[in-house]
Amino acid sequence: MTPLKDSQISQYQTDGFICPVPVMSAVEAGALRSKLETFEATQGGKLEPPQRNKSHLLFKWLDDLIRDARVLDPIEQLIGPDILCWNTLFWIKDAGSESFVSWHQDTRYWGLSSDQVITAWLALSPASVDSGCMRVMPGTHVGDVLAHEDRYDENNMLTRGQEIAGELDEARATHMPLATGEMSIHNYRLAHASGPNVTDDRRIGISMHFMPPDTGQIVGDWDSAALVRGEDRFGNFARPPIPSDDMDAEAVAFHVKASQAIRDVLYADAAENTEKL
Ligand SMILES: O=C(O)CCC(=O)C(=O)O
């Protein structure tokens, strides 16, 4: 794995994102896709909404991924040697799906105190402009968090259809296309969005949310995060069990509480619970 170049690190600081970062071969990522789809096939071909969230507690292969040096080495270059993984989330747009993600900044909704939270988004299938890859608005990770409105569109993958309220100059936006096995990295304050999938394959991504251990949860009373590298000298988050296999009983029991804690934060003050997670 090639370390991030100085130019990529300064791009992250200035623009708020890096894309693409090669992580694994398309064959290896395809094998992870097969594990996911084999599981989906046991329950009618889709994940249930609660299985999208804190999914590393359900799937051993995903817990391995959040600890994989190919994912963590670039994260360490950006936020230092002590790293917590707060959440993992599946973003699946079926072939021909109208699912989209409106322009938003995650910092507005996650209840986390730090400016240093990073989303690493790994493609398990091609994330192209046509399949609805992410778009970002460079530089929006600095300065005040923008005002958002909850718009509750059925096709919006976000919990409450949250959307930046004012006009955005979309001419400044840039797409983050990814080949299978590549990831993008963005600061969770960066404004981002994505469009529908007009291809005949599923667009499958996993986002992994990493943060330094001095981060606190300021909306929820209780929250959890896995220590994936280094030390946690702050103890602000409960430590989840490490699954020894897919659907490990202890980790599944923890997932009930941990995924509910995330839902409580994401739906705090929302007018509706759309049950998207
Ligand atoms: O997968 C997408 O299209 C959007 C993902 C997203 O909003 C995120 O990872 O924060």
Side-chain angles (χ1 to χ4, degrees):
M1 176 87 198
T2 321
L4 295 178
K5 298 188 193 84
D6 289 348
S7 57
Q8 289 175 298
I9 295 173
S10 60
Q11 191 211 348
Y12 178 76
Q13 283 154 357
T14 311
D15 292 338
F17 71 98
I18 304 171
C19 179
V21 177
V23 174
M24 61 181 69
S25 68
V27 171
E28 189 178 346
L32 299 184
R33 175 180 180 167
S34 294
K35 284 179 198 271
L36 167 69
E37 292 185 329
T38 301
F39 175 81
E40 289 179 309
T42 65
Q43 52 175 41
K46 283 196 191 308
L47 290 179
E48 302 292 339
Q51 294 167 337
R52 284 186 60 210
N53 171 27
K54 286 269 185 193
S55 315
H56 57 286
L57 291 165
L58 305 178
F59 303 112
K60 163 77 176 142
W61 59 268
L62 189 45
D63 185 80
D64 291 342
L65 188 68
I66 62 173
R67 298 167 198 281
D68 191 314
R70 296 171 295 180
V71 171
L72 289 182
D73 287 354
I75 304 299
E76 174 167 349
Q77 284 183 271
L78 300 172
I79 62 169
D82 299 324
I83 306 175
L84 296 178
C85 178
W86 177 60
N87 199 10
T88 48
L89 203 48
F90 281 101
W91 296 94
I92 301 177
K93 293 177 183 169
D94 284 330
S97 148
E98 291 179 18
S99 296
F100 73 99
V101 170
S102 49
W103 284 105
H104 69 288
Q105 293 169 298
D106 289 312
T107 185
R108 166 68 185 75
Y109 294 94
W110 290 1
L112 300 174
S113 62
S114 174
D115 285 351
Q116 301 300 319
V117 182
I118 287 182
T119 293
W121 195 107
L122 177 77
L124 297 190
S125 69
S128 60
V129 172
D130 283 351
S131 71
C133 68
M134 267 190 288
R135 293 172 80 197
V136 292
M137 197 66 78
T140 46
H141 62 304
V142 290
D144 292 339
V145 176
L146 301 166
H148 286 65
E149 282 171 8
D150 295 348
R151 294 188 178 154
Y152 295 103
D153 187 309
E154 194 189 328
N155 288 322
N156 194 329
M157 298 178 85
L158 300 178
T159 44
R160 39 171 105 188
Q162 59 265 36
E163 186 158 4
I164 291 171
E167 282 294 300
L168 279 176
D169 179 5
E170 296 215 18
R172 289 186 48 242
T174 180
H175 285 99
M176 295 203 295
L178 294 169
T180 309
E182 292 178 335
M183 71 178 178
S184 57
I185 289 173
H186 70 264
N187 182 293
Y188 84 141
R189 294 170 64 88
L190 191 72
H192 56 288
S194 69
N197 177 6
V198 298
T199 73
D200 56 9
D201 190 14
R202 305 175 90 194
R203 191 218 65 166
I204 305 176
I206 303 168
S207 62
M208 299 167 270
H209 306 139
F210 297 107
M211 60 196 186
D214 63 354
T215 307
Q217 173 51 262
I218 50 181
V219 172
D221 296 333
W222 179 94
D223 203 350
S224 65
L227 179 64
V228 291
R229 184 169 276 188
E231 268 185 83
D232 176 2
R233 282 173 278 108
F234 297 87
N236 293 336
F237 292 81
R239 194 74 63 246
I242 299 180
S244 53
D245 212 339
D246 291 356
M247 298 297 153
D248 172 282
E250 190 193 357
V252 169
F254 193 92
H255 177 264
V256 174
K257 182 173 180 187
S259 63
Q260 186 57 48
I262 299 247
R263 279 191 289 280
D264 289 346
V265 168
L266 295 181
Y267 283 107
D269 302 325
E272 284 177 38
N273 181 347
T274 53
E275 299 185 356
K276 296 201 181 197
L277 284 179

